[in-house]
Amino acid sequence: MANIATITGRNLHRLVRVPTLIAFATVQPILFVLLFTYTWGGAVHPPGVEHYIDYVLPGIFVLSIAFGASQTGVAIADDLASGMIDRFRALPMARSAVLAGRTVSDAVRNLFVIVLMIGVGSLIGFRFHAGLGAALGAVGLALAIGVAFSWIFALLGLVVRDPESAGIGGLLAVIPLIFVSSTFVPVATMPGWLQAFANRNPITITVDALRALCLGGPTATHVWQALAWIVGLLIVTIPTAVLRYRRTTAT
């Protein structure tokens, strides 16, 4: 745990010291909230929702977290390319601490981003309609999907080992999943052949669960489905990433 805390602190200090990373973590989520609300809000009217911001903000949680997590792969690949991982190997520390510390620091960043978006959204009309417990549940679920994204992109960074390729590959993976989902519009508005994919898209399942927690109504099925996806992704990606890290650092 001490090793993980050290790596986490190192990553958070880097986030604070690099202005572009701070800008990415703050300005981008704010822009997402404002731009999607005011450019699409007048044209998209989801059934049963009075204000578009209430519908879209849970989706923007996932969008911002996914885009931010793509930088995890970049950071891992950069540490490999710059020799930082070799320095870690020379220290008396657990090898898994490098990856675990990265995902923990990502979770801290994601919590900041979520709170920031809730604050901005509240200023333009967003409200939690299901009470404090459901609101905290939504934040917790958003953090959980963020952890899953972090491990996925950490594995990507270990595989490609090039910062630019990791960044491009991460975005190419995220963009179609985000836009072919219920993030911005109801799946029912899509062509039938696209609905088949969108309804099974883990992003749709997670966004629907977050939306249920924010808006109220039946939540159990949506939340359990989202948690099942998250746990399944973690079961696959964590051991695969750790094994890949050990093989990478052994050569």
Side-chain angles (χ1 to χ4, degrees), residues 68-96:
S70 67
Q71 296 304 303
T72 299
V74 174
I76 293 291
D78 185 61
D79 283 344
L80 284 168
S82 66
M84 182 59 69
I85 298 295
D86 292 330
R87 297 182 186 180
F88 289 147
R89 290 175 59 196
L91 298 175
M93 60 183 294
R95 292 186 178 182
S96 58

PDB file of all heavy atoms in Angstrom, residues 68-96:
ATOM      1  N   GLY A  68     -10.486  11.327 -20.465  1.00  0.00           N
ATOM      2  CA  GLY A  68      -9.386  11.504 -19.530  1.00  0.00           C
ATOM      3  C   GLY A  68      -8.573  10.246 -19.348  1.00  0.00           C
ATOM      4  O   GLY A  68      -7.347  10.287 -19.234  1.00  0.00           O
ATOM      5  N   ALA A  69      -9.252   9.090 -19.335  1.00  0.00           N
ATOM      6  CA  ALA A  69      -8.557   7.818 -19.152  1.00  0.00           C
ATOM      7  C   ALA A  69      -7.640   7.493 -20.321  1.00  0.00           C
ATOM      8  O   ALA A  69      -6.668   6.746 -20.163  1.00  0.00           O
ATOM      9  CB  ALA A  69      -9.569   6.689 -18.955  1.00  0.00           C
ATOM     10  N   SER A  70      -7.929   8.043 -21.504  1.00  0.00           N
ATOM     11  CA  SER A  70      -7.040   7.799 -22.640  1.00  0.00           C
ATOM     12  C   SER A  70      -5.638   8.316 -22.358  1.00  0.00           C
ATOM     13  O   SER A  70      -4.651   7.810 -22.907  1.00  0.00           O
ATOM     14  CB  SER A  70      -7.599   8.454 -23.909  1.00  0.00           C
ATOM     15  OG  SER A  70      -7.584   9.875 -23.810  1.00  0.00           O
ATOM     16  N   GLN A  71      -5.532   9.316 -21.464  1.00  0.00           N
ATOM     17  CA  GLN A  71      -4.218   9.843 -21.099  1.00  0.00           C
ATOM     18  C   GLN A  71      -3.445   8.874 -20.202  1.00  0.00           C
ATOM     19  O   GLN A  71      -2.233   8.991 -20.053  1.00  0.00           O
ATOM     20  CB  GLN A  71      -4.384  11.184 -20.395  1.00  0.00           C
ATOM     21  CG  GLN A  71      -4.982  12.274 -21.256  1.00  0.00           C
ATOM     22  CD  GLN A  71      -4.190  12.492 -22.529  1.00  0.00           C
ATOM     23  OE1 GLN A  71      -2.993  12.778 -22.496  1.00  0.00           O
ATOM     24  NE2 GLN A  71      -4.853  12.351 -23.667  1.00  0.00           N
ATOM     25  N   THR A  72      -4.154   7.912 -19.602  1.00  0.00           N
ATOM     26  CA  THR A  72      -3.471   6.892 -18.814  1.00  0.00           C
ATOM     27  C   THR A  72      -2.551   6.067 -19.697  1.00  0.00           C
ATOM     28  O   THR A  72      -1.397   5.802 -19.345  1.00  0.00           O
ATOM     29  CB  THR A  72      -4.500   5.972 -18.130  1.00  0.00           C
ATOM     30  OG1 THR A  72      -5.314   6.759 -17.262  1.00  0.00           O
ATOM     31  CG2 THR A  72      -3.815   4.878 -17.333  1.00  0.00           C
ATOM     32  N   GLY A  73      -3.068   5.660 -20.852  1.00  0.00           N
ATOM     33  CA  GLY A  73      -2.242   4.918 -21.788  1.00  0.00           C
ATOM     34  C   GLY A  73      -1.057   5.730 -22.266  1.00  0.00           C
ATOM     35  O   GLY A  73       0.059   5.203 -22.415  1.00  0.00           O
ATOM     36  N   VAL A  74      -1.285   7.019 -22.505  1.00  0.00           N
ATOM     37  CA  VAL A  74      -0.195   7.905 -22.931  1.00  0.00           C
ATOM     38  C   VAL A  74       0.877   7.973 -21.853  1.00  0.00           C
ATOM     39  O   VAL A  74       2.085   7.893 -22.137  1.00  0.00           O
ATOM     40  CB  VAL A  74      -0.738   9.314 -23.243  1.00  0.00           C
ATOM     41  CG1 VAL A  74       0.402  10.275 -23.554  1.00  0.00           C
ATOM     42  CG2 VAL A  74      -1.712   9.258 -24.413  1.00  0.00           C
ATOM     43  N   ALA A  75       0.452   8.135 -20.592  1.00  0.00           N
ATOM     44  CA  ALA A  75       1.405   8.268 -19.490  1.00  0.00           C
ATOM     45  C   ALA A  75       2.213   6.989 -19.292  1.00  0.00           C
ATOM     46  O   ALA A  75       3.437   7.036 -19.075  1.00  0.00           O
ATOM     47  CB  ALA A  75       0.658   8.629 -18.210  1.00  0.00           C
ATOM     48  N   ILE A  76       1.538   5.837 -19.370  1.00  0.00           N
ATOM     49  CA  ILE A  76       2.248   4.568 -19.214  1.00  0.00           C
ATOM     50  C   ILE A  76       3.259   4.383 -20.341  1.00  0.00           C
ATOM     51  O   ILE A  76       4.416   3.992 -20.114  1.00  0.00           O
ATOM     52  CB  ILE A  76       1.255   3.393 -19.191  1.00  0.00           C
ATOM     53  CG1 ILE A  76       0.384   3.434 -17.931  1.00  0.00           C
ATOM     54  CG2 ILE A  76       1.989   2.065 -19.294  1.00  0.00           C
ATOM     55  CD1 ILE A  76       1.125   3.143 -16.656  1.00  0.00           C
ATOM     56  N   ALA A  77       2.828   4.652 -21.570  1.00  0.00           N
ATOM     57  CA  ALA A  77       3.729   4.516 -22.715  1.00  0.00           C
ATOM     58  C   ALA A  77       4.891   5.495 -22.614  1.00  0.00           C
ATOM     59  O   ALA A  77       6.039   5.163 -22.950  1.00  0.00           O
ATOM     60  CB  ALA A  77       2.964   4.740 -24.023  1.00  0.00           C
ATOM     61  N   ASP A  78       4.625   6.701 -22.120  1.00  0.00           N
ATOM     62  CA  ASP A  78       5.680   7.700 -21.966  1.00  0.00           C
ATOM     63  C   ASP A  78       6.696   7.267 -20.917  1.00  0.00           C
ATOM     64  O   ASP A  78       7.909   7.454 -21.103  1.00  0.00           O
ATOM     65  CB  ASP A  78       5.055   9.045 -21.586  1.00  0.00           C
ATOM     66  CG  ASP A  78       6.089  10.162 -21.521  1.00  0.00           C
ATOM     67  OD1 ASP A  78       6.724  10.446 -22.552  1.00  0.00           O
ATOM     68  OD2 ASP A  78       6.266  10.746 -20.431  1.00  0.00           O
ATOM     69  N   ASP A  79       6.207   6.700 -19.810  1.00  0.00           N
ATOM     70  CA  ASP A  79       7.134   6.209 -18.782  1.00  0.00           C
ATOM     71  C   ASP A  79       8.010   5.085 -19.316  1.00  0.00           C
ATOM     72  O   ASP A  79       9.193   4.983 -18.971  1.00  0.00           O
ATOM     73  CB  ASP A  79       6.345   5.715 -17.560  1.00  0.00           C
ATOM     74  CG  ASP A  79       5.836   6.859 -16.690  1.00  0.00           C
ATOM     75  OD1 ASP A  79       6.323   7.987 -16.849  1.00  0.00           O
ATOM     76  OD2 ASP A  79       4.943   6.606 -15.853  1.00  0.00           O
ATOM     77  N   LEU A  80       7.443   4.243 -20.182  1.00  0.00           N
ATOM     78  CA  LEU A  80       8.235   3.185 -20.793  1.00  0.00           C
ATOM     79  C   LEU A  80       9.283   3.755 -21.742  1.00  0.00           C
ATOM     80  O   LEU A  80      10.454   3.348 -21.719  1.00  0.00           O
ATOM     81  CB  LEU A  80       7.326   2.209 -21.545  1.00  0.00           C
ATOM     82  CG  LEU A  80       6.523   1.216 -20.709  1.00  0.00           C
ATOM     83  CD1 LEU A  80       5.475   0.529 -21.577  1.00  0.00           C
ATOM     84  CD2 LEU A  80       7.431   0.189 -20.058  1.00  0.00           C
ATOM     85  N   ALA A  81       8.848   4.703 -22.578  1.00  0.00           N
ATOM     86  CA  ALA A  81       9.755   5.265 -23.584  1.00  0.00           C
ATOM     87  C   ALA A  81      10.853   6.109 -22.955  1.00  0.00           C
ATOM     88  O   ALA A  81      11.985   6.147 -23.456  1.00  0.00           O
ATOM     89  CB  ALA A  81       8.950   6.101 -24.585  1.00  0.00           C
ATOM     90  N   SER A  82      10.547   6.799 -21.864  1.00  0.00           N
ATOM     91  CA  SER A  82      11.530   7.696 -21.243  1.00  0.00           C
ATOM     92  C   SER A  82      12.477   6.994 -20.285  1.00  0.00           C
ATOM     93  O   SER A  82      13.441   7.601 -19.806  1.00  0.00           O
ATOM     94  CB  SER A  82      10.797   8.808 -20.489  1.00  0.00           C
ATOM     95  OG  SER A  82      10.069   8.281 -19.386  1.00  0.00           O
ATOM     96  N   GLY A  83      12.221   5.731 -19.980  1.00  0.00           N
ATOM     97  CA  GLY A  83      13.078   4.998 -19.059  1.00  0.00           C
ATOM     98  C   GLY A  83      12.644   5.101 -17.603  1.00  0.00           C
ATOM     99  O   GLY A  83      13.323   4.554 -16.721  1.00  0.00           O
ATOM    100  N   MET A  84      11.534   5.778 -17.333  1.00  0.00           N
ATOM    101  CA  MET A  84      11.074   5.917 -15.954  1.00  0.00           C
ATOM    102  C   MET A  84      10.732   4.555 -15.343  1.00  0.00           C
ATOM    103  O   MET A  84      10.993   4.309 -14.160  1.00  0.00           O
ATOM    104  CB  MET A  84       9.851   6.834 -15.900  1.00  0.00           C
ATOM    105  CG  MET A  84       9.331   7.077 -14.477  1.00  0.00           C
ATOM    106  SD  MET A  84      10.550   7.825 -13.387  1.00  0.00           S
ATOM    107  CE  MET A  84      10.657   9.474 -14.127  1.00  0.00           C
ATOM    108  N   ILE A  85      10.162   3.666 -16.156  1.00  0.00           N
ATOM    109  CA  ILE A  85       9.839   2.332 -15.660  1.00  0.00           C
ATOM    110  C   ILE A  85      11.107   1.598 -15.242  1.00  0.00           C
ATOM    111  O   ILE A  85      11.116   0.863 -14.241  1.00  0.00           O
ATOM    112  CB  ILE A  85       9.064   1.519 -16.718  1.00  0.00           C
ATOM    113  CG1 ILE A  85       7.726   2.193 -17.038  1.00  0.00           C
ATOM    114  CG2 ILE A  85       8.859   0.097 -16.254  1.00  0.00           C
ATOM    115  CD1 ILE A  85       6.758   2.236 -15.886  1.00  0.00           C
ATOM    116  N   ASP A  86      12.196   1.807 -15.975  1.00  0.00           N
ATOM    117  CA  ASP A  86      13.462   1.177 -15.592  1.00  0.00           C
ATOM    118  C   ASP A  86      13.943   1.683 -14.240  1.00  0.00           C
ATOM    119  O   ASP A  86      14.524   0.929 -13.450  1.00  0.00           O
ATOM    120  CB  ASP A  86      14.523   1.451 -16.657  1.00  0.00           C
ATOM    121  CG  ASP A  86      14.232   0.753 -17.968  1.00  0.00           C
ATOM    122  OD1 ASP A  86      13.604  -0.332 -17.931  1.00  0.00           O
ATOM    123  OD2 ASP A  86      14.609   1.278 -19.033  1.00  0.00           O
ATOM    124  N   ARG A  87      13.707   2.956 -13.957  1.00  0.00           N
ATOM    125  CA  ARG A  87      14.068   3.485 -12.641  1.00  0.00           C
ATOM    126  C   ARG A  87      13.226   2.856 -11.548  1.00  0.00           C
ATOM    127  O   ARG A  87      13.737   2.558 -10.461  1.00  0.00           O
ATOM    128  CB  ARG A  87      13.890   5.007 -12.630  1.00  0.00           C
ATOM    129  CG  ARG A  87      14.789   5.743 -13.609  1.00  0.00           C
ATOM    130  CD  ARG A  87      14.584   7.247 -13.500  1.00  0.00           C
ATOM    131  NE  ARG A  87      15.329   7.966 -14.532  1.00  0.00           N
ATOM    132  CZ  ARG A  87      15.325   9.290 -14.674  1.00  0.00           C
ATOM    133  NH1 ARG A  87      14.608  10.040 -13.841  1.00  0.00           N
ATOM    134  NH2 ARG A  87      16.021   9.861 -15.629  1.00  0.00           N
ATOM    135  N   PHE A  88      11.947   2.658 -11.830  1.00  0.00           N
ATOM    136  CA  PHE A  88      11.085   2.006 -10.848  1.00  0.00           C
ATOM    137  C   PHE A  88      11.567   0.584 -10.570  1.00  0.00           C
ATOM    138  O   PHE A  88      11.479   0.096  -9.438  1.00  0.00           O
ATOM    139  CB  PHE A  88       9.636   1.970 -11.343  1.00  0.00           C
ATOM    140  CG  PHE A  88       8.955   3.310 -11.349  1.00  0.00           C
ATOM    141  CD1 PHE A  88       8.008   3.621 -12.325  1.00  0.00           C
ATOM    142  CD2 PHE A  88       9.238   4.269 -10.393  1.00  0.00           C
ATOM    143  CE1 PHE A  88       7.366   4.845 -12.334  1.00  0.00           C
ATOM    144  CE2 PHE A  88       8.605   5.502 -10.395  1.00  0.00           C
ATOM    145  CZ  PHE A  88       7.668   5.786 -11.369  1.00  0.00           C
ATOM    146  N   ARG A  89      12.073  -0.102 -11.611  1.00  0.00           N
ATOM    147  CA  ARG A  89      12.541  -1.475 -11.440  1.00  0.00           C
ATOM    148  C   ARG A  89      13.716  -1.552 -10.484  1.00  0.00           C
ATOM    149  O   ARG A  89      13.906  -2.556  -9.794  1.00  0.00           O
ATOM    150  CB  ARG A  89      12.964  -2.067 -12.790  1.00  0.00           C
ATOM    151  CG  ARG A  89      11.825  -2.350 -13.750  1.00  0.00           C
ATOM    152  CD  ARG A  89      12.361  -2.813 -15.079  1.00  0.00           C
ATOM    153  NE  ARG A  89      13.176  -4.015 -14.955  1.00  0.00           N
ATOM    154  CZ  ARG A  89      14.010  -4.459 -15.884  1.00  0.00           C
ATOM    155  NH1 ARG A  89      14.162  -3.786 -17.016  1.00  0.00           N
ATOM    156  NH2 ARG A  89      14.702  -5.548 -15.701  1.00  0.00           N
ATOM    157  N   ALA A  90      14.509  -0.480 -10.440  1.00  0.00           N
ATOM    158  CA  ALA A  90      15.693  -0.467  -9.582  1.00  0.00           C
ATOM    159  C   ALA A  90      15.351  -0.205  -8.118  1.00  0.00           C
ATOM    160  O   ALA A  90      16.212  -0.329  -7.240  1.00  0.00           O
ATOM    161  CB  ALA A  90      16.677   0.596 -10.072  1.00  0.00           C
ATOM    162  N   LEU A  91      14.094   0.162  -7.847  1.00  0.00           N
ATOM    163  CA  LEU A  91      13.679   0.472  -6.479  1.00  0.00           C
ATOM    164  C   LEU A  91      13.051  -0.750  -5.823  1.00  0.00           C
ATOM    165  O   LEU A  91      12.462  -1.600  -6.498  1.00  0.00           O
ATOM    166  CB  LEU A  91      12.655   1.621  -6.505  1.00  0.00           C
ATOM    167  CG  LEU A  91      13.155   2.967  -7.065  1.00  0.00           C
ATOM    168  CD1 LEU A  91      11.996   3.959  -7.139  1.00  0.00           C
ATOM    169  CD2 LEU A  91      14.287   3.525  -6.221  1.00  0.00           C
ATOM    170  N   PRO A  92      13.189  -0.848  -4.493  1.00  0.00           N
ATOM    171  CA  PRO A  92      12.570  -1.985  -3.774  1.00  0.00           C
ATOM    172  C   PRO A  92      11.066  -1.782  -3.601  1.00  0.00           C
ATOM    173  O   PRO A  92      10.576  -1.446  -2.525  1.00  0.00           O
ATOM    174  CB  PRO A  92      13.301  -1.973  -2.428  1.00  0.00           C
ATOM    175  CG  PRO A  92      13.667  -0.535  -2.216  1.00  0.00           C
ATOM    176  CD  PRO A  92      13.967   0.014  -3.594  1.00  0.00           C
ATOM    177  N   MET A  93      10.335  -1.989  -4.685  1.00  0.00           N
ATOM    178  CA  MET A  93       8.898  -1.756  -4.649  1.00  0.00           C
ATOM    179  C   MET A  93       8.180  -2.825  -5.469  1.00  0.00           C
ATOM    180  O   MET A  93       8.771  -3.450  -6.359  1.00  0.00           O
ATOM    181  CB  MET A  93       8.552  -0.373  -5.214  1.00  0.00           C
ATOM    182  CG  MET A  93       8.988  -0.167  -6.652  1.00  0.00           C
ATOM    183  SD  MET A  93       8.650   1.490  -7.268  1.00  0.00           S
ATOM    184  CE  MET A  93       6.862   1.504  -7.249  1.00  0.00           C
ATOM    185  N   ALA A  94       6.916  -3.035  -5.151  1.00  0.00           N
ATOM    186  CA  ALA A  94       6.120  -4.018  -5.888  1.00  0.00           C
ATOM    187  C   ALA A  94       5.883  -3.526  -7.312  1.00  0.00           C
ATOM    188  O   ALA A  94       5.586  -2.342  -7.530  1.00  0.00           O
ATOM    189  CB  ALA A  94       4.786  -4.238  -5.177  1.00  0.00           C
ATOM    190  N   ARG A  95       6.023  -4.409  -8.267  1.00  0.00           N
ATOM    191  CA  ARG A  95       5.827  -4.012  -9.663  1.00  0.00           C
ATOM    192  C   ARG A  95       4.393  -3.575  -9.927  1.00  0.00           C
ATOM    193  O   ARG A  95       4.149  -2.662 -10.725  1.00  0.00           O
ATOM    194  CB  ARG A  95       6.193  -5.172 -10.586  1.00  0.00           C
ATOM    195  CG  ARG A  95       7.677  -5.516 -10.588  1.00  0.00           C
ATOM    196  CD  ARG A  95       7.993  -6.568 -11.632  1.00  0.00           C
ATOM    197  NE  ARG A  95       9.417  -6.870 -11.682  1.00  0.00           N
ATOM    198  CZ  ARG A  95       9.972  -7.733 -12.544  1.00  0.00           C
ATOM    199  NH1 ARG A  95       9.188  -8.369 -13.419  1.00  0.00           N
ATOM    200  NH2 ARG A  95      11.252  -7.955 -12.533  1.00  0.00           N
ATOM    201  N   SER A  96       3.450  -4.208  -9.282  1.00  0.00           N
ATOM    202  CA  SER A  96       2.046  -3.857  -9.504  1.00  0.00           C
ATOM    203  C   SER A  96       1.715  -2.457  -9.002  1.00  0.00           C
ATOM    204  O   SER A  96       0.682  -1.893  -9.380  1.00  0.00           O
ATOM    205  CB  SER A  96       1.141  -4.874  -8.800  1.00  0.00           C
ATOM    206  OG  SER A  96       1.415  -4.913  -7.410  1.00  0.00           O
TER     207      SER A  96
END
